[in-house]
Amino acid sequence: MSASFRNFIITRILLTIPMVLILITLVFFVMRVLPGDPIRSQLGPKVSEQQANAIRERLGLNRPLYIQYFDFLGDVLTLNFGNAMTQGERPIKAELGERLPATIELTVPAMLLTVLFGIFSGAYAAHHRKKPSDYGLRMFSIIVYAIPVFFLGLLFQVLFSVRLPILPLDGRMSPMLLSTFHPITNFYVLDAILTRNWPALGSLLQHLIMPSVTLGLVLTGPFLRLTRVNMIETLHEDFITAGRARGIPEKRLVYRHALRNTFIPILTFIGLQFALLLAGAVLTETTFSWPGMGRYLVTRIELRDYNAVQSVIAVFALFVGAISVLVDILYAFIDPRVRY
Amino acid sequence: MSNQKETLVQVRDLSVTYHTRLGPLSAVDHVSFDIYKGEILGVVGESGCGKSTMGKALMRLIMPPGEISSGHIIFDGEDVMQYDQKQLRDFRGRRISMIFQDPMTSLNPVQRVDEHLIEAIQVHEPQTPVEAALRRARTLIEKLGIQKERLRDYPHQLSGGMRQRVMIGLGLVLNADLIVADEATTSLDVIVEAKLLDEFKKLRDEFNLTILMITHNIALIAQIADRIMVMYAGQVAEIGDVTEVFDHPRHPYTEGLLRSVPNIELDEREELYKMGGEPPNLSRPPAGCRFHPRCAQAMPICAQREPELTEISPGRFVHCWLYQDHPQEVAHA
Ligand SMILES: Nc1ncnc2c1ncn2[C@@H]1O[C@H](COP(=O)(O)OP(=O)(O)OP(=O)(O)O)[C@@H](O)[C@H]1O
Ligand SMILES: [Mg+2]
């Protein structure tokens, strides 16, 4: 790795800091501007002002706002988020340790589905431009893009667990297997493989299908369309004509030459879409009672649990930042024209 | 070249139409000519006169919105227009190959030079192992004046001249019978261009290639071509032996074209000739001879009827009313 490439990576990492900072600052203040607070949201209006003040003091909410803010920044910096402010006030770190793996286990297959299906069907549509399959795929991309996640999820639930009961309705695994299952990393699929618990693995995968397909499909639309447009452009480039003139088969030109060139701009797009994927995960987890970060976030927003919400958003922001850095590094490796 | 000319390609009545938003555009219009084995046939004409389109049409590379709207291409006795997709793939690259106008954009930016060459070989000869293909690529590329270390480079790492040599290498690697070189050297500086053209001639002699050389550089083509074809507005204006055409141009367009070639020995007082008018819009070409609006020697018939491409002396074809009998009705009108 050259020195300039290292500099590039360092600069790129440094550049994500303001992004994360702005986001968590925003969340910090928006939470406090919203009506309601962690005490009233839990105990209701019946609690006396005195009691409320006592709790406020315990949670540190009576301190000046700027102190609370810098305190929170310190928590993010050390990745030691402190305790939640509601519902048992569990350490947020413990909560994240259980829920983050669940969210990753959901989003990774979803992302793979989105990227692979989106890119290949986009390339296919470009190859068969203006043919029925092209129109069909474009229509499909609009439909899945326009359908709200929860509606698509609900539709799947009705179809595949109620009408045609082949898949479990919700949750991460069958409750009957929980007693036999011993998580190690909290990445359940991985744990099931590590402990050779095949019934659990089967149940986990069955539970994973609907939520990950739902989440994956919703983001497929933009990928499909972007790939298609880029491919059509690439297929008009001189080097494709030149390849055709050399007798290179059309399929090879489309799925190798053109796709490899098209993939480079699409890669950047993956980074951008990752934020949307997390947003989609929040809704998917709620729809499918998936015990991940998203569902945690939704319940804690309702409870005005400042600390928990801030921390989850900070983790999301760090993730999005990390992914975008990773994408840029990958970009440098994939595109031979980019050399540092 | 031997006196006994063997025909490699017969192009008959070839037309290409682009279906544009403004209606059909006749980029190549009923073109007929022969290409002889082992010759260098130069193709000249103003920008937009259909040279590239004609070259691509020879390998049936016209893509929508364009189409070959009429004609036959008889290559070594076979009608290329009858080929199916598989036959076409086999034909392209192996029998006929093309060196494109722009070496900057004609190589796949994410493919290394050797990958280009090996792919070309293996697509046509799947049984050739990679090492053998690589050896062949290496020998060829060194012959073209590129060090073999450069084979591992990506196109953007090469200079324009080197890239063009790679393009030429890709055109030669399968030992195609006919090379269509479309402005293959235009993007290079004069010295490199002259050198490469010279190499073309050597390669022709060495591999017994047949080359269709499309170019703007009339002065250079005069030195390496055996015959020359002048195109105007999608049609053949004149074909003939290069010295004959240059010494005694017959078609008024050829005459004008030759007079507008800058000449180093040009007398100070003599001004460079500029042909009047513009080439026509090919969506609505003029009736009769497409050149008549710009022609100083135009006659009434020229605006009414299209002349035939007529052989006025052995091997010399001209597309002009000055050299053929006028039909009765018009002549008396
Ligand atoms: N893909 C296309 N779609 C529509 N029209 C086209 C297309 N390609 C070429 N043409 C038109 O066909 C005519 C001939 O173009 P062509 O590129 O063959 O000319 P050329 O003689 O090679 O010109 P140049 O010397 O500039 O390379 C031009 O009028 C051009 O505008
Ligand atoms: Mg051209």
Side-chain angles (χ1 to χ4, degrees):
Chain A
M1 198 193 309
S2 69
S4 59
F5 188 53
R6 199 164 28 227
N7 284 345
F8 160 74
I9 295 175
I10 292 170
T11 323
R12 198 57 196 72
I13 291 172
L14 290 179
L15 276 174
T16 56
I17 292 178
M19 180 200 93
V20 173
L21 194 68
I22 289 171
L23 192 64
I24 59 182
T25 306
L26 224 84
V27 171
F28 180 90
F29 288 105
V30 167
M31 283 304 290
R32 281 160 176 80
V33 169
L34 285 179
D37 66 26
I39 298 109
R40 299 272 170 215
S41 66
Q42 273 198 108
L43 306 176
K46 270 171 268 166
V47 67
S48 77
E49 198 54 36
Q50 223 173 2
Q51 275 174 299
N53 275 336
I55 301 173
R56 261 192 206 105
E57 199 158 331
R58 185 163 55 76
L59 294 175
L61 288 174
N62 57 338
R63 297 173 300 162
L65 210 55
Y66 72 93
I67 293 191
Q68 293 183 41
Y69 176 65
F70 284 111
D71 203 38
F72 166 58
L73 287 191
D75 284 351
V76 174
L77 216 59
T78 55
L79 293 178
N80 183 10
F81 297 103
N83 293 346
M85 290 178 167
T86 58
Q87 293 202 335
E89 300 176 22
R90 275 190 76 195
I92 291 170
K93 234 175 140 176
E95 202 81 55
L96 291 180
E98 286 165 20
R99 289 170 178 276
L100 197 55
T103 296
I104 293 175
E105 223 166 68
L106 168 68
T107 47
V108 167
M111 196 74 195
L112 280 179
L113 174 79
T114 298
V115 171
L116 290 180
F117 183 62
I119 288 181
F120 276 102
S121 52
Y124 186 87
H127 184 189
H128 299 270
R129 192 182 171 196
K130 293 193 176 163
K131 303 240 173 74
S133 52
D134 177 28
Y135 289 116
L137 281 169
R138 278 157 75 189
M139 185 80 98
F140 167 81
S141 76
I142 295 177
I143 292 172
V144 290
Y145 187 65
I147 288 186
V149 180
F150 57 84
F151 182 77
L152 189 64
L154 207 68
L155 195 72
F156 279 159
Q157 284 176 324
V158 170
L159 283 178
F160 299 111
S161 355
V162 180
R163 281 286 155 86
L164 188 75
I166 48 173
L167 288 172
L169 187 69
D170 57 12
R172 202 173 169 194
M173 72 184 294
S174 161
M176 281 173 305
L177 293 167
L178 269 178
S179 54
T180 68
F181 184 66
H182 309 288
I184 309 167
T185 61
N186 282 330
F187 288 95
Y188 283 7
V189 173
L190 184 70
D191 295 340
I193 295 171
L194 287 177
T195 56
R196 292 168 202 280
N197 190 342
W198 308 130
L201 183 66
S203 166
L204 283 166
L205 292 179
Q206 270 186 8
H207 280 79
L208 193 53
I209 292 174
M210 268 205 298
S212 60
V213 168
T214 305
L215 181 55
L217 272 187
V218 170
L219 289 184
T220 299
F223 271 98
L224 199 160
R225 296 182 79 81
L226 189 74
T227 309
R228 179 182 172 276
V229 168
N230 269 299
M231 278 292 280
I232 286 173
E233 213 167 280
T234 312
L235 285 173
H236 280 109
E237 294 214 25
D238 288 348
F239 71 86
I240 296 292
T241 313
R244 202 173 277 135
R246 257 175 268 138
I248 297 172
E250 204 63 27
K251 275 202 180 121
R252 196 179 163 90
L253 286 172
V254 174
Y255 296 104
R256 247 184 107 95
H257 290 247
L259 195 55
R260 256 167 83 186
N261 276 275
T262 308
F263 183 69
I264 293 167
I266 304 284
L267 184 66
T268 339
F269 193 62
I270 296 179
L272 294 174
Q273 290 289 306
F274 192 75
L276 271 186
L277 185 75
L278 288 179
V282 171
L283 298 172
T284 311
E285 287 179 5
T286 310
T287 309
F288 290 97
S289 310
W290 191 264
M293 301 265 287
R295 218 158 61 111
Y296 184 61
L297 181 66
V298 171
T299 49
R300 296 298 156 142
I301 288 175
E302 277 161 15
L303 290 169
R304 300 287 183 271
D305 189 331
Y306 298 156
N307 239 358
V309 174
Q310 286 161 198
S311 307
V312 171
I313 296 290
V315 170
F316 276 2
L318 287 173
F319 250 89
V320 171
I323 292 282
S324 76
V325 171
L326 215 68
V327 161
D328 276 7
I329 293 172
L330 220 61
Y331 192 101
F333 276 107
I334 287 186
D335 190 344
R337 285 160 296 189
V338 182
R339 278 287 171 267
Y340 298 93
Chain B
M1 207 174 29
S2 65
N3 282 339
Q4 191 196 329
K5 292 177 191 166
E6 231 186 300
T7 308
L8 178 63
V9 191
Q10 288 172 287
V11 177
R12 291 293 174 267
D13 207 30
L14 183 70
S15 300
V16 178
T17 308
Y18 288 109
H19 298 280
T20 66
R21 288 211 178 110
L22 303 171
L25 184 154
S26 126
V28 171
D29 186 51
H30 301 287
V31 163
S32 299
F33 62 96
D34 289 347
I35 305 174
Y36 300 124
K37 271 188 187 151
E39 75 166 341
I40 297 182
L41 173 61
V43 179
V44 296
E46 273 164 295
S47 190
C49 72
K51 303 183 296 294
S52 300
T53 303
M54 192 269 294
K56 281 188 199 152
L58 284 188
M59 45 201 323
R60 283 187 52 195
L61 260 186
I62 303 291
M63 289 288 137
E67 62 157 345
I68 297 180
S69 39
S70 82
H72 295 277
I73 300 158
I74 315 293
F75 193 104
D76 223 359
E78 285 185 45
D79 190 350
V80 177
M81 294 307 293
Q82 306 298 327
Y83 281 174
D84 60 24
Q85 283 304 319
K86 196 185 162 310
Q87 286 173 305
L88 262 185
R89 274 207 302 276
D90 200 48
F91 172 68
R92 295 174 182 157
R94 169 176 294 295
R95 304 300 316 268
I96 181 171
S97 73
M98 188 152 182
I99 302 169
F100 283 87
Q101 199 156 356
D102 191 352
M104 299 298 166
T105 57
S106 299
L107 292 166
N108 185 344
V110 303
Q111 220 181 17
R112 293 177 200 272
V113 171
D114 55 354
E115 289 168 342
H116 278 92
L117 288 157
I118 293 170
E119 180 184 39
I121 295 172
Q122 288 195 322
V123 159
H124 289 278
E125 303 160 21
Q127 70 289 353
T128 309
V130 179
E131 305 81 55
L134 190 62
R135 234 176 293 127
R136 230 163 96 188
R138 209 175 279 151
T139 322
L140 177 68
I141 224 81
E142 285 192 323
K143 199 172 267 168
L144 288 170
I146 304 177
Q147 303 108 297
K148 61 174 186 298
E149 291 74 37
R150 291 297 199 153
L151 277 172
R152 292 304 289 161
D153 280 357
Y154 285 100
H156 73 276
Q157 293 168 297
L158 305 173
S159 70
M162 280 197 273
R163 245 181 274 193
Q164 193 50 279
R165 279 160 205 266
V166 171
M167 287 306 297
I168 294 171
L170 277 169
L172 296 177
V173 72
L174 293 164
N175 303 319
D177 307 280
L178 174 66
I179 313 282
V180 178
D182 186 0
E183 314 267 6
T185 56
T186 311
S187 55
L188 308 172
D189 63 71
V190 202
I191 298 171
V192 181
E193 177 172 25
K195 214 166 120 191
L196 268 179
L197 281 180
D198 208 44
E199 269 166 35
F200 264 115
K201 205 165 178 173
K202 283 198 195 118
L203 288 167
R204 189 268 308 259
D205 297 338
E206 189 177 337
F207 297 104
N208 192 31
L209 297 174
T210 307
I211 303 174
L212 183 80
M213 190 165 282
I214 298 171
T215 182
H216 275 123
N217 196 330
I218 295 180
L220 277 178
I221 198 73
Q223 290 172 26
I224 73 157
D226 301 299
R227 290 194 310 139
I228 194 110
M229 173 159 107
V230 181
M231 284 185 73
Y232 182 78
Q235 298 177 328
V236 176
E238 182 161 4
I239 307 178
D241 187 82
V242 74
T243 42
E244 274 177 39
V245 171
F246 280 23
D247 292 348
H248 308 287
R250 297 293 183 204
H251 197 289
Y253 176 67
T254 314
E255 215 180 315
L257 194 67
L258 292 177
R259 279 174 65 193
S260 42
V261 175
N263 184 342
I264 307 272
E265 291 134 45
L266 196 68
D267 201 304
E268 299 259 335
R269 287 152 301 169
E270 205 178 325
E271 229 184 277
L272 194 60
Y273 174 80
K274 286 188 203 73
M275 204 184 305
E278 291 286 320
N281 175 352
L282 294 177
S283 305
R284 257 176 289 108
C289 169
R290 287 186 174 187
F291 185 59
H292 87 265
R294 299 172 78 185
C295 183
Q297 303 173 58
M299 300 169 284
I301 190 174
C302 302
Q304 295 161 22
R305 285 182 169 235
E306 207 195 307
E308 302 265 328
L309 187 65
T310 317
E311 186 163 21
I312 57 162
S313 58
R316 186 71 182 276
F317 294 83
V318 184
H319 185 246
C320 178
W321 279 120
L322 288 173
Y323 304 95
Q324 54 187 277
D325 296 333
H326 297 191
Q328 287 296 317
E329 340 85 82
V330 185
H332 291 287

PDB file of all heavy atoms in Angstrom, chain B residues 149-171:
ATOM      1  N   GLU B 149       6.524  -5.965 -21.402  1.00  0.00           N
ATOM      2  CA  GLU B 149       6.120  -5.620 -20.029  1.00  0.00           C
ATOM      3  C   GLU B 149       4.807  -4.834 -20.045  1.00  0.00           C
ATOM      4  O   GLU B 149       4.044  -4.864 -19.079  1.00  0.00           O
ATOM      5  CB  GLU B 149       7.184  -4.759 -19.334  1.00  0.00           C
ATOM      6  CG  GLU B 149       8.486  -5.466 -19.022  1.00  0.00           C
ATOM      7  CD  GLU B 149       9.343  -5.714 -20.245  1.00  0.00           C
ATOM      8  OE1 GLU B 149       9.361  -4.844 -21.148  1.00  0.00           O
ATOM      9  OE2 GLU B 149       9.969  -6.789 -20.330  1.00  0.00           O
ATOM     10  N   ARG B 150       4.585  -4.139 -21.151  1.00  0.00           N
ATOM     11  CA  ARG B 150       3.396  -3.305 -21.263  1.00  0.00           C
ATOM     12  C   ARG B 150       2.111  -4.115 -21.358  1.00  0.00           C
ATOM     13  O   ARG B 150       1.020  -3.563 -21.234  1.00  0.00           O
ATOM     14  CB  ARG B 150       3.514  -2.390 -22.488  1.00  0.00           C
ATOM     15  CG  ARG B 150       4.573  -1.326 -22.319  1.00  0.00           C
ATOM     16  CD  ARG B 150       4.175  -0.442 -21.162  1.00  0.00           C
ATOM     17  NE  ARG B 150       4.882   0.817 -21.218  1.00  0.00           N
ATOM     18  CZ  ARG B 150       4.409   1.943 -20.703  1.00  0.00           C
ATOM     19  NH1 ARG B 150       3.236   1.932 -20.119  1.00  0.00           N
ATOM     20  NH2 ARG B 150       5.099   3.032 -20.761  1.00  0.00           N
ATOM     21  N   LEU B 151       2.232  -5.399 -21.610  1.00  0.00           N
ATOM     22  CA  LEU B 151       1.052  -6.236 -21.737  1.00  0.00           C
ATOM     23  C   LEU B 151       0.221  -6.251 -20.469  1.00  0.00           C
ATOM     24  O   LEU B 151      -0.983  -6.468 -20.499  1.00  0.00           O
ATOM     25  CB  LEU B 151       1.472  -7.679 -22.068  1.00  0.00           C
ATOM     26  CG  LEU B 151       1.763  -7.976 -23.532  1.00  0.00           C
ATOM     27  CD1 LEU B 151       2.342  -9.353 -23.678  1.00  0.00           C
ATOM     28  CD2 LEU B 151       0.475  -7.880 -24.347  1.00  0.00           C
ATOM     29  N   ARG B 152       0.883  -6.042 -19.330  1.00  0.00           N
ATOM     30  CA  ARG B 152       0.145  -6.074 -18.067  1.00  0.00           C
ATOM     31  C   ARG B 152      -0.497  -4.731 -17.739  1.00  0.00           C
ATOM     32  O   ARG B 152      -1.125  -4.571 -16.699  1.00  0.00           O
ATOM     33  CB  ARG B 152       1.070  -6.489 -16.900  1.00  0.00           C
ATOM     34  CG  ARG B 152       1.534  -7.929 -16.964  1.00  0.00           C
ATOM     35  CD  ARG B 152       0.380  -8.920 -17.023  1.00  0.00           C
ATOM     36  NE  ARG B 152      -0.365  -9.037 -15.780  1.00  0.00           N
ATOM     37  CZ  ARG B 152      -1.591  -9.543 -15.695  1.00  0.00           C
ATOM     38  NH1 ARG B 152      -2.206  -9.954 -16.783  1.00  0.00           N
ATOM     39  NH2 ARG B 152      -2.194  -9.623 -14.542  1.00  0.00           N
ATOM     40  N   ASP B 153      -0.321  -3.754 -18.600  1.00  0.00           N
ATOM     41  CA  ASP B 153      -0.878  -2.425 -18.341  1.00  0.00           C
ATOM     42  C   ASP B 153      -2.365  -2.353 -18.678  1.00  0.00           C
ATOM     43  O   ASP B 153      -2.874  -3.123 -19.483  1.00  0.00           O
ATOM     44  CB  ASP B 153      -0.146  -1.387 -19.193  1.00  0.00           C
ATOM     45  CG  ASP B 153       1.188  -0.994 -18.573  1.00  0.00           C
ATOM     46  OD1 ASP B 153       1.494  -1.489 -17.471  1.00  0.00           O
ATOM     47  OD2 ASP B 153       1.904  -0.199 -19.196  1.00  0.00           O
ATOM     48  N   TYR B 154      -3.023  -1.395 -18.037  1.00  0.00           N
ATOM     49  CA  TYR B 154      -4.375  -1.050 -18.420  1.00  0.00           C
ATOM     50  C   TYR B 154      -4.288   0.023 -19.503  1.00  0.00           C
ATOM     51  O   TYR B 154      -3.297   0.759 -19.562  1.00  0.00           O
ATOM     52  CB  TYR B 154      -5.145  -0.506 -17.211  1.00  0.00           C
ATOM     53  CG  TYR B 154      -5.552  -1.589 -16.247  1.00  0.00           C
ATOM     54  CD1 TYR B 154      -4.820  -1.820 -15.088  1.00  0.00           C
ATOM     55  CD2 TYR B 154      -6.658  -2.377 -16.508  1.00  0.00           C
ATOM     56  CE1 TYR B 154      -5.187  -2.825 -14.208  1.00  0.00           C
ATOM     57  CE2 TYR B 154      -7.034  -3.379 -15.635  1.00  0.00           C
ATOM     58  CZ  TYR B 154      -6.304  -3.598 -14.483  1.00  0.00           C
ATOM     59  OH  TYR B 154      -6.678  -4.584 -13.629  1.00  0.00           O
ATOM     60  N   PRO B 155      -5.330   0.132 -20.324  1.00  0.00           N
ATOM     61  CA  PRO B 155      -5.256   1.094 -21.429  1.00  0.00           C
ATOM     62  C   PRO B 155      -4.849   2.510 -21.009  1.00  0.00           C
ATOM     63  O   PRO B 155      -4.083   3.157 -21.711  1.00  0.00           O
ATOM     64  CB  PRO B 155      -6.670   1.076 -22.001  1.00  0.00           C
ATOM     65  CG  PRO B 155      -7.177  -0.280 -21.701  1.00  0.00           C
ATOM     66  CD  PRO B 155      -6.541  -0.676 -20.388  1.00  0.00           C
ATOM     67  N   HIS B 156      -5.372   2.961 -19.860  1.00  0.00           N
ATOM     68  CA  HIS B 156      -5.089   4.355 -19.499  1.00  0.00           C
ATOM     69  C   HIS B 156      -3.625   4.587 -19.167  1.00  0.00           C
ATOM     70  O   HIS B 156      -3.174   5.712 -19.066  1.00  0.00           O
ATOM     71  CB  HIS B 156      -5.962   4.789 -18.326  1.00  0.00           C
ATOM     72  CG  HIS B 156      -5.538   4.180 -17.019  1.00  0.00           C
ATOM     73  ND1 HIS B 156      -5.944   2.923 -16.629  1.00  0.00           N
ATOM     74  CD2 HIS B 156      -4.731   4.633 -16.049  1.00  0.00           C
ATOM     75  CE1 HIS B 156      -5.408   2.637 -15.467  1.00  0.00           C
ATOM     76  NE2 HIS B 156      -4.663   3.651 -15.088  1.00  0.00           N
ATOM     77  N   GLN B 157      -2.867   3.493 -18.967  1.00  0.00           N
ATOM     78  CA  GLN B 157      -1.453   3.661 -18.632  1.00  0.00           C
ATOM     79  C   GLN B 157      -0.588   3.813 -19.879  1.00  0.00           C
ATOM     80  O   GLN B 157       0.600   4.070 -19.766  1.00  0.00           O
ATOM     81  CB  GLN B 157      -0.976   2.453 -17.815  1.00  0.00           C
ATOM     82  CG  GLN B 157      -1.625   2.394 -16.439  1.00  0.00           C
ATOM     83  CD  GLN B 157      -1.380   1.068 -15.749  1.00  0.00           C
ATOM     84  OE1 GLN B 157      -1.805   0.009 -16.218  1.00  0.00           O
ATOM     85  NE2 GLN B 157      -0.673   1.116 -14.643  1.00  0.00           N
ATOM     86  N   LEU B 158      -1.196   3.646 -21.046  1.00  0.00           N
ATOM     87  CA  LEU B 158      -0.435   3.723 -22.290  1.00  0.00           C
ATOM     88  C   LEU B 158      -0.607   5.091 -22.944  1.00  0.00           C
ATOM     89  O   LEU B 158      -1.618   5.759 -22.747  1.00  0.00           O
ATOM     90  CB  LEU B 158      -0.921   2.651 -23.265  1.00  0.00           C
ATOM     91  CG  LEU B 158      -0.917   1.205 -22.778  1.00  0.00           C
ATOM     92  CD1 LEU B 158      -1.583   0.322 -23.812  1.00  0.00           C
ATOM     93  CD2 LEU B 158       0.498   0.735 -22.502  1.00  0.00           C
ATOM     94  N   SER B 159       0.396   5.468 -23.737  1.00  0.00           N
ATOM     95  CA  SER B 159       0.266   6.710 -24.500  1.00  0.00           C
ATOM     96  C   SER B 159      -0.652   6.444 -25.689  1.00  0.00           C
ATOM     97  O   SER B 159      -0.949   5.291 -26.019  1.00  0.00           O
ATOM     98  CB  SER B 159       1.632   7.138 -25.006  1.00  0.00           C
ATOM     99  OG  SER B 159       2.070   6.250 -25.998  1.00  0.00           O
ATOM    100  N   GLY B 160      -1.099   7.526 -26.322  1.00  0.00           N
ATOM    101  CA  GLY B 160      -1.999   7.383 -27.464  1.00  0.00           C
ATOM    102  C   GLY B 160      -1.408   6.492 -28.545  1.00  0.00           C
ATOM    103  O   GLY B 160      -2.095   5.636 -29.106  1.00  0.00           O
ATOM    104  N   GLY B 161      -0.137   6.698 -28.821  1.00  0.00           N
ATOM    105  CA  GLY B 161       0.522   5.913 -29.863  1.00  0.00           C
ATOM    106  C   GLY B 161       0.554   4.433 -29.523  1.00  0.00           C
ATOM    107  O   GLY B 161       0.270   3.577 -30.356  1.00  0.00           O
ATOM    108  N   MET B 162       0.853   4.147 -28.261  1.00  0.00           N
ATOM    109  CA  MET B 162       0.919   2.745 -27.835  1.00  0.00           C
ATOM    110  C   MET B 162      -0.459   2.106 -27.891  1.00  0.00           C
ATOM    111  O   MET B 162      -0.614   0.957 -28.299  1.00  0.00           O
ATOM    112  CB  MET B 162       1.482   2.648 -26.423  1.00  0.00           C
ATOM    113  CG  MET B 162       2.993   2.764 -26.394  1.00  0.00           C
ATOM    114  SD  MET B 162       3.644   2.177 -24.842  1.00  0.00           S
ATOM    115  CE  MET B 162       3.553   3.649 -23.865  1.00  0.00           C
ATOM    116  N   ARG B 163      -1.447   2.882 -27.462  1.00  0.00           N
ATOM    117  CA  ARG B 163      -2.802   2.353 -27.488  1.00  0.00           C
ATOM    118  C   ARG B 163      -3.222   2.008 -28.914  1.00  0.00           C
ATOM    119  O   ARG B 163      -3.839   0.983 -29.157  1.00  0.00           O
ATOM    120  CB  ARG B 163      -3.760   3.412 -26.936  1.00  0.00           C
ATOM    121  CG  ARG B 163      -4.404   2.969 -25.661  1.00  0.00           C
ATOM    122  CD  ARG B 163      -5.351   4.005 -25.173  1.00  0.00           C
ATOM    123  NE  ARG B 163      -4.638   5.006 -24.370  1.00  0.00           N
ATOM    124  CZ  ARG B 163      -5.264   5.885 -23.615  1.00  0.00           C
ATOM    125  NH1 ARG B 163      -6.579   5.902 -23.571  1.00  0.00           N
ATOM    126  NH2 ARG B 163      -4.587   6.736 -22.901  1.00  0.00           N
ATOM    127  N   GLN B 164      -2.844   2.879 -29.826  1.00  0.00           N
ATOM    128  CA  GLN B 164      -3.206   2.607 -31.208  1.00  0.00           C
ATOM    129  C   GLN B 164      -2.485   1.362 -31.714  1.00  0.00           C
ATOM    130  O   GLN B 164      -3.036   0.572 -32.454  1.00  0.00           O
ATOM    131  CB  GLN B 164      -2.902   3.825 -32.089  1.00  0.00           C
ATOM    132  CG  GLN B 164      -3.532   3.751 -33.461  1.00  0.00           C
ATOM    133  CD  GLN B 164      -5.021   3.423 -33.436  1.00  0.00           C
ATOM    134  OE1 GLN B 164      -5.419   2.257 -33.307  1.00  0.00           O
ATOM    135  NE2 GLN B 164      -5.864   4.430 -33.507  1.00  0.00           N
ATOM    136  N   ARG B 165      -1.249   1.172 -31.254  1.00  0.00           N
ATOM    137  CA  ARG B 165      -0.534  -0.040 -31.643  1.00  0.00           C
ATOM    138  C   ARG B 165      -1.223  -1.274 -31.086  1.00  0.00           C
ATOM    139  O   ARG B 165      -1.289  -2.318 -31.732  1.00  0.00           O
ATOM    140  CB  ARG B 165       0.903   0.008 -31.126  1.00  0.00           C
ATOM    141  CG  ARG B 165       1.813   0.835 -31.991  1.00  0.00           C
ATOM    142  CD  ARG B 165       3.042   1.257 -31.210  1.00  0.00           C
ATOM    143  NE  ARG B 165       3.593   2.473 -31.778  1.00  0.00           N
ATOM    144  CZ  ARG B 165       4.563   2.481 -32.678  1.00  0.00           C
ATOM    145  NH1 ARG B 165       5.101   1.360 -33.065  1.00  0.00           N
ATOM    146  NH2 ARG B 165       4.998   3.618 -33.171  1.00  0.00           N
ATOM    147  N   VAL B 166      -1.739  -1.139 -29.857  1.00  0.00           N
ATOM    148  CA  VAL B 166      -2.486  -2.260 -29.281  1.00  0.00           C
ATOM    149  C   VAL B 166      -3.722  -2.555 -30.132  1.00  0.00           C
ATOM    150  O   VAL B 166      -4.026  -3.712 -30.443  1.00  0.00           O
ATOM    151  CB  VAL B 166      -2.892  -1.959 -27.824  1.00  0.00           C
ATOM    152  CG1 VAL B 166      -3.856  -3.011 -27.306  1.00  0.00           C
ATOM    153  CG2 VAL B 166      -1.668  -1.886 -26.938  1.00  0.00           C
ATOM    154  N   MET B 167      -4.412  -1.494 -30.530  1.00  0.00           N
ATOM    155  CA  MET B 167      -5.595  -1.670 -31.388  1.00  0.00           C
ATOM    156  C   MET B 167      -5.210  -2.385 -32.680  1.00  0.00           C
ATOM    157  O   MET B 167      -5.931  -3.259 -33.164  1.00  0.00           O
ATOM    158  CB  MET B 167      -6.211  -0.309 -31.748  1.00  0.00           C
ATOM    159  CG  MET B 167      -6.945   0.399 -30.635  1.00  0.00           C
ATOM    160  SD  MET B 167      -8.212  -0.595 -29.862  1.00  0.00           S
ATOM    161  CE  MET B 167      -9.334  -0.873 -31.225  1.00  0.00           C
ATOM    162  N   ILE B 168      -4.081  -1.974 -33.225  1.00  0.00           N
ATOM    163  CA  ILE B 168      -3.615  -2.610 -34.457  1.00  0.00           C
ATOM    164  C   ILE B 168      -3.295  -4.079 -34.182  1.00  0.00           C
ATOM    165  O   ILE B 168      -3.668  -4.964 -34.946  1.00  0.00           O
ATOM    166  CB  ILE B 168      -2.396  -1.857 -35.027  1.00  0.00           C
ATOM    167  CG1 ILE B 168      -2.835  -0.452 -35.471  1.00  0.00           C
ATOM    168  CG2 ILE B 168      -1.774  -2.622 -36.188  1.00  0.00           C
ATOM    169  CD1 ILE B 168      -1.712   0.474 -35.845  1.00  0.00           C
ATOM    170  N   GLY B 169      -2.652  -4.314 -33.028  1.00  0.00           N
ATOM    171  CA  GLY B 169      -2.342  -5.687 -32.635  1.00  0.00           C
ATOM    172  C   GLY B 169      -3.610  -6.523 -32.542  1.00  0.00           C
ATOM    173  O   GLY B 169      -3.665  -7.658 -33.010  1.00  0.00           O
ATOM    174  N   LEU B 170      -4.655  -5.931 -31.949  1.00  0.00           N
ATOM    175  CA  LEU B 170      -5.921  -6.653 -31.836  1.00  0.00           C
ATOM    176  C   LEU B 170      -6.513  -6.938 -33.209  1.00  0.00           C
ATOM    177  O   LEU B 170      -7.177  -7.951 -33.414  1.00  0.00           O
ATOM    178  CB  LEU B 170      -6.912  -5.832 -31.005  1.00  0.00           C
ATOM    179  CG  LEU B 170      -6.768  -5.957 -29.498  1.00  0.00           C
ATOM    180  CD1 LEU B 170      -7.607  -4.895 -28.800  1.00  0.00           C
ATOM    181  CD2 LEU B 170      -7.213  -7.341 -29.058  1.00  0.00           C
ATOM    182  N   GLY B 171      -6.257  -6.021 -34.132  1.00  0.00           N
ATOM    183  CA  GLY B 171      -6.747  -6.226 -35.492  1.00  0.00           C
ATOM    184  C   GLY B 171      -5.985  -7.324 -36.210  1.00  0.00           C
ATOM    185  O   GLY B 171      -6.509  -7.951 -37.127  1.00  0.00           O
TER     186      GLY B 171
END
